[in-house]
Amino acid sequence: MLKPIILSLAMLLQPCFAAITVVTENLPSFQYQNAQGVLVGTVVEEVTNALKKSGVEYTLSVNAWPISYNAALRDEKTCIFSIARLPSREDKFSWVAKLGNFTASFYSFKSQQVKIENLEQAKKYRIAVLKDNYSHVYLSEHGFNEQNQLILLDSFENIYDVLKSRRSSIDMVVLSDEQFNYELKKDKTLSLLKAIYKIPTDYQDLYFACNKNLESTTLEKLTNAFSSNQAK
């Protein structure tokens, strides 16, 4: 009887890796849902392979960015991709693995002939940004505010709709250059826009990150799995 009891105790003492929720957004071409609703993109295979290799059970949810971001910020069992690693976010998350990098620019209507050569000049204009997105955080850190310059929107789809319907109230929008080029292939009306100023920053790396209170053993398994994948 001793051996079965010892075996049972050993099984009970094995580490139990609680399921996590992994959240993301549609951000072409890094990750986005195709016409069939399947999540595809340049970072998706790396993320899903690492998650499988980690042995950690997970569910994957695609939401508007503010929903995904706040879920990862508040829920200790939630991870997120692809998120820009900004100084103001450094202590809010555990940064598991770098997935890629991106560039972002101010876009305006060609007909308006807006010209800016630095961020200070951009403060003269009304700028649409996605709430809690890289552009919102970055510009807020550089003196832009919602009273004078920033118009906060909930999704990139809203940004495009607003640009078309409220041209008189918005001068510019900040977009990922990759996303703009992707959307332009589907919506030719976006050809009315042009990039007028690329945001100058060293903080344009995209990461897989987790809530800072994620259980340490789970975090270690995720970190090791991503490191193993990227070492190949």
Side-chain angles (χ1 to χ4, degrees), residues 108-114 167 190-195:
S108 72
F109 287 102
K110 295 176 181 177
S111 60
Q112 291 180 314
Q113 298 183 336
V114 175
R167 291 181 58 171
L190 295 176
S191 62
L192 297 173
L193 298 175
K194 66 175 180 178

Side-chain angles (χ1 to χ4, degrees), residues 193-211:
L193 298 175
K194 66 175 180 178
I196 60 171
Y197 183 67
K198 192 177 295 292
I199 291 182
T201 177
D202 296 328
Y203 302 104
Q204 292 179 327
D205 291 334
L206 293 172
Y207 274 75
F208 183 96
C210 296
N211 182 280

Side-chain angles (χ1 to χ4, degrees), residues 4 20 38-39 43 51 55 60 67 71 74-75 90 92 104 125 137 149 156 162 165 167 179 192-193 204 217 229 231:
I20 62 171
V38 178
L39 190 66
V43 305
L51 288 169
L60 180 59
I67 294 174
R74 296 170 183 171
D75 184 358
E90 188 66 29
K92 296 179 179 179
Y125 300 98
V137 176
Q149 293 96 12
F156 280 113
V162 169
S165 63
R167 291 181 58 171
Q179 182 167 26
L192 297 173
L193 298 175
Q204 292 179 327
T217 308
N229 263 4

Side-chain angles (χ1 to χ4, degrees), residues 125-138:
Y125 300 98
R126 295 288 286 167
I127 306 161
V129 294
L130 184 62
K131 184 179 179 181
D132 294 325
N133 179 263
Y134 164 84
S135 55
H136 179 198
V137 176
Y138 179 85

